[in-house]
């Protein structure tokens, strides 16, 4: 995550919640008893950790729950040992967790996240980097890193995560998976550690479009929207991808359109020229909101986080009022531009990330890659639009995905359009004896 200075951007990072629910001081073991548990993926895991509360459409499926969601009987650690040690035991499940369990899904475990969900790459200094089986030796993407890794490895069928500036979209791209970042505010955040409220969403990751559709049917509210009939390839956004994958991604976009039976139109000028300004504005607002909810915790635990995270949070304390007003006005203008460009029935296709997954060392040190990635994710976050991410192409370094953005409230139309994408068959859910 970059510090929000002028002409800079910020990636996903959560707000520290107000006083949490439950009894303070109880502890949860780092892992469930048993050998061969990869603690870079799981904070706690079992078979299952918690069984479904009822039979339903997801019976036999397993959820990897990002360590930002309340799971009854467990604490929320947010990828940070100090946060974990002071967390209460949760008395009830987060709303999204409960809905999935009511439809038959078991909780496989609580999955790791980037520290305080502060990142886009999946590198956690305390617990390690979860593996990416689609690109061995490279990061899985973050901050929903453990959830994505568990799904990619077949250890879970559903990765429940969050997305503020790409934290389900980037892992889906790097691991060759499917994800949905829904319209801002339409899926309940109850029971989940708060993220920057202007941008945060619950999100989910799966191996197949069919499973994505099943989860979406449960978590999305009923919507009466125009079907997607006009996919557009934003060629100016493809120019932001690394040259070695740009043509491959454009070919993949056309193939995707062919599979769902819709002609793909080219648009040489969409909103690429605004992205630097929008990313800066989003970073300013996000930093201010981070300080509002993280500041008190950080003052008590400054040594518990590395300088990068501490600086990102404390920067929000001193943002000038006129800079914050400019940022909010800029984001309002971005929403107007995107509403005109992507009306109901239209979907905009662009690269989900500029490159394949980098190695961990590169991910930690390359601020240019971080900024380039946020350029591709910030527009939908700024406008609160739904984004469906699909596998795109297989480069020499690993997968690079495609993101499909639709009008606000068009989530079900977006998922329905992808439902015709049958290239990858869905395995039968595992049945418990």
């Amino acid at each position: 995550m970059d510090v929000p200075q002028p002409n800079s951007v910020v990636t996903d990072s959560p707000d520290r919640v107000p006083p949490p629910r439950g009894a303070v001081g109880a502890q949860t073991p780092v892992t469930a008893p048993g050998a061969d548990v990869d603690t870079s993926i799981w904070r706690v895991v079992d078979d299952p950790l918690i069984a479904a509360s009822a039979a339903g459409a997801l019976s036999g499926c397993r959820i990897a729950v990002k360590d930002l969601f309340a799971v009854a009987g467990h604490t929320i650690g947010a990828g940070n040992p100090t946060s974990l040690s002071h967390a209460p035991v949760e008395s009830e499940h987060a709303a999204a967790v409960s809905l999935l369990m009511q439809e038959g899904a078991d909780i496989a475990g609580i999955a790791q996240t980037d520290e305080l969900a502060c990142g886009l790459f999946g590198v956690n200094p305390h617990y390690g980097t979860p593996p990416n089986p689609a690109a061995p030796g490279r990061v899985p993407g973050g901050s929903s890193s453990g959830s994505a890794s568990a799904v990619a490895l077949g250890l879970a069928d559903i990765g429940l995560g969050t997305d503020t500036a790409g934290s389900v979209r980037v892992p889906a791209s790097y691991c060759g998976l499917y994800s949905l970042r829904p319209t801002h505010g339409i899926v309940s955040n109850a029971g989940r550690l708060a993220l920057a409220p202007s941008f945060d969403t619950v999100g989910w990751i799966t191996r197949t479009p069919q499973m994505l559709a099943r989860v979406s049917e449960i978590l999305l509210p009923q919507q009466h929207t125009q079907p997607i009939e006009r996919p557009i390839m934003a060629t100016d956004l493809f120019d932001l991808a690394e040259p070695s994958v740009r043509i491959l991604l454009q070919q993949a976009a056309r193939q995707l359109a062919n599979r769902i039976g819709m002609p793909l139109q080219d648009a040489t000028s969409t909103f690429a020229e605004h992205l630097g300004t929008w990313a800066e504005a989003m970073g300013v607002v996000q930093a201010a909101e981070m300080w509002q909810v993280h500041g008190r915790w950080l003052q008590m635990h400054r040594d518990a986080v590395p300088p990068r995270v501490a600086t990102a949070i404390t920067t929000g304390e001193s943002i000038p009022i006129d800079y914050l007003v400019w940022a909010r006005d800029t984001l309002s203008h971005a929403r107007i531009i995107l509403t005109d460009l992507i009306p109901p029935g239209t979907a905009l296709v662009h690269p989900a990330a500029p490159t394949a997954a980098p190695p961990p060392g590169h991910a930690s040190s390359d601020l240019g890659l971080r900024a380039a990635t946020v350029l591709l994710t910030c527009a939908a976050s700024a406008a609160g639009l739904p984004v469906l991410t699909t596998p795109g192409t297989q480069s020499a370094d690993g997968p690079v995905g495609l993101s499909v953005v639709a009008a606000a409230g068009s989530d079900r139309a977006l998922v329905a359009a992808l439902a015709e994408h049958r290239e990858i068959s869905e395995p039968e859910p595992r049945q418990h004896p």
Side-chain angles (χ1 to χ4, degrees):
M1 177 179 59
D2 299 325
V3 180
Q5 302 294 343
N7 302 314
S8 68
V9 294
V10 177
T11 61
D12 274 9
S13 29
D15 309 312
R16 193 62 186 170
V17 290
R21 305 166 301 282
V24 178
Q27 262 293 14
T28 305
V30 174
T31 60
D36 301 323
V37 171
D38 189 337
T39 56
S40 73
I41 302 173
W42 301 109
R43 205 202 79 210
V44 56
V45 63
D46 212 327
D47 188 24
L49 182 65
I50 303 178
S53 54
L58 296 177
S59 290
C61 297
R62 301 155 294 167
I63 319 168
V65 178
K66 185 177 184 177
D67 193 12
L68 295 180
F69 290 89
V71 174
H74 294 269
T75 52
I76 299 175
N80 179 275
T82 300
S83 179
L84 175 64
S85 69
H86 291 86
V89 171
E90 298 295 328
S91 60
E92 59 186 16
H93 299 311
V97 173
S98 182
L99 286 172
L100 296 175
M101 294 183 72
Q102 289 169 15
E103 286 294 333
D106 299 326
I107 296 179
I110 298 172
Q112 300 285 14
T113 175
D114 291 41
E115 184 177 19
L116 296 180
C118 228
L120 282 174
F121 298 117
V123 179
N124 186 304
H126 305 288
Y127 303 115
T129 301
N132 180 351
R138 293 173 179 267
V139 299
S143 62
S144 302
S145 50
S147 299
S149 181
V151 170
L153 288 163
L155 303 177
D157 306 292
I158 302 158
L160 187 64
T162 64
D163 188 302
T164 295
S167 277
V168 297
R169 289 170 278 170
V170 173
S173 180
Y174 286 177
C175 295
L177 301 171
Y178 296 81
S179 74
L180 184 70
R181 172 200 161 91
T183 298
H184 183 266
I186 69 166
V187 177
S188 174
N189 286 320
R192 193 219 66 200
L193 281 184
L195 299 169
S198 294
F199 312 111
D200 64 325
T201 67
V202 175
W204 44 100
I205 301 169
T206 66
R207 286 188 300 279
T208 69
Q210 294 78 30
M211 181 62 74
L212 190 84
R214 291 166 69 184
V215 175
S216 301
E217 179 64 29
I218 293 162
L219 293 181
L220 291 175
Q222 292 300 318
Q223 297 168 310
H224 301 285
T225 58
Q226 184 175 335
I228 302 298
E229 298 173 336
R230 184 172 173 255
I232 298 173
M233 182 162 66
T235 57
D236 56 345
L237 300 185
F238 280 83
D239 290 340
L240 300 176
E242 188 177 69
S244 63
V245 299
R246 186 179 304 151
I247 294 176
L248 295 175
L249 283 171
Q250 289 177 328
Q251 292 172 345
R254 297 190 188 284
Q255 291 167 0
L256 175 63
N258 289 338
R259 282 194 295 270
I260 63 178
M262 298 181 191
L264 185 65
Q265 303 175 28
D266 286 1
T268 57
S269 178
T270 58
F271 50 82
E273 63 180 316
H274 302 294
L275 288 177
T277 301
W278 294 355
E280 180 184 352
M282 181 177 168
V284 171
V285 174
Q286 185 176 344
E289 294 181 354
M290 285 169 59
W291 173 254
Q292 289 172 359
V293 292
H294 281 286
R296 180 179 297 179
W297 181 85
L298 182 65
Q299 288 171 339
M300 294 185 292
H301 305 290
R302 181 64 181 250
D303 294 338
V305 297
R308 175 183 65 84
V309 176
T311 300
I313 296 171
T314 56
T315 299
E317 181 184 17
S318 57
I319 293 175
I321 293 298
D322 57 347
Y323 195 16
L324 186 58
V325 169
W326 167 84
R328 292 193 183 280
D329 287 346
T330 298
L331 295 179
S332 295
H333 185 58
R335 286 188 284 273
I336 292 170
I337 291 174
L338 289 167
T339 297
D340 290 342
L341 180 66
I342 313 174
T346 297
L348 200 70
V349 184
H350 65 78
T355 69
H362 187 191
S364 299
S365 62
D366 191 339
L367 297 181
L369 175 61
R370 190 185 304 273
T373 303
V374 174
L375 286 181
L376 283 170
T377 62
C378 71
S381 295
L385 303 182
V387 187
L388 195 154
T389 298
T390 82
T393 189
Q394 181 69 33
S395 75
D397 295 327
V400 187
L402 292 168
S403 281
V404 187
V405 186
S410 297
D411 311 64
R412 285 182 175 270
L414 197 55
V415 173
L418 188 74
E420 298 303 317
H421 180 185
R422 303 282 181 176
E423 183 178 16
I424 302 175
S425 61
E426 180 180 358
E428 289 298 319
R430 184 183 68 165
Q431 300 296 325
H432 296 297

